[in-house]
Amino acid sequence: SHLFLGWPLYLLGLASTGRIGHDGKPLDDKIADHFRPNSPMFPAKMSFKIMLSTSTVLASLTGLGYLMYEYGAVPVICWYWGPYLFTNAWLVLYTWLQHTDVDVPHFSGDNHTFVKGALHTIDRPYDKLDPWGVIDFLHHKIGSTHAAHHYDSTIPFYKAQKATDAIKKNFPQLYFYDPTPIPQALWRICKGCTAVVKRGDSWIWSNKGIEDLVV
């Protein structure tokens, strides 16, 4: 379900959207979605752009509905929803690997800060995923230079490698990079990141006692 619905649920503000609004105030059970002009995720000055974006999404869904009515559900599922779900799964996997590993803690709301979150982001060797580095190129290195994005989200993608090199040079003790090949890292996380236990002010992954239930 995570790979199937993860991205739409995130956009709707129902999964992994954080606990703080754009103004730095706690959401207090408010939904921070990507579609309402008054969503607490965005400042008021962006309301027109959000409204315009939502209108194009609704127009696209209307067009897909018309195509399903005109040509049937199967062609639209094969040519649109199938590739969409694949892209959704790939994006969720990317995000999961950027922020999760067996030795990366999670923090409670009282103990979490922007800096802690940024410093616990993991860069990975997507440039080694294929012999030519095509995947890294097509995705603008979002997996191998992602930590820089969390240090400063205003850095454009074409400067991300330069920023990453600067972080590695100046803050080597704070920079997280895991050279484990992506398939092996994914399998390790699937097996090792199932349950958490509290240790001090943070939560760590621990599968003690449920090893037989883990893939």
Side-chain angles (χ1 to χ4, degrees), residues 20 107 109 111-121 147-154:
I20 298 175
F107 302 97
N111 194 37
H112 179 269
T113 65
F114 178 89
V115 174
K116 282 184 179 179
L119 295 179
H120 286 82
T121 304
H149 161 76
H150 283 279
Y151 277 59
D152 184 351
S153 59
T154 65

Side-chain angles (χ1 to χ4, degrees), residues 15 25-26 30 48 54 68 73 77 84 97 126 133 136 142 151 154 158 169 171 184 191-192 202 214-215:
K25 298 179 180 179
K30 295 178 183 176
F48 176 75
T54 300
M68 294 178 71
I77 290 173
Y84 173 85
L97 288 168
Y126 286 94
D136 214 21
I142 64 170
Y151 277 59
T154 65
Y158 49 85
K169 179 180 179 180
F171 307 103
Q184 289 91 319
K191 292 193 301 178
S202 60
V214 181
V215 292

Side-chain angles (χ1 to χ4, degrees), residues 119-134:
L119 295 179
H120 286 82
T121 304
I122 311 158
D123 283 345
R124 298 188 183 276
Y126 286 94
D127 56 328
K128 304 296 193 300
L129 199 54
D130 64 272
W132 307 278
V134 173

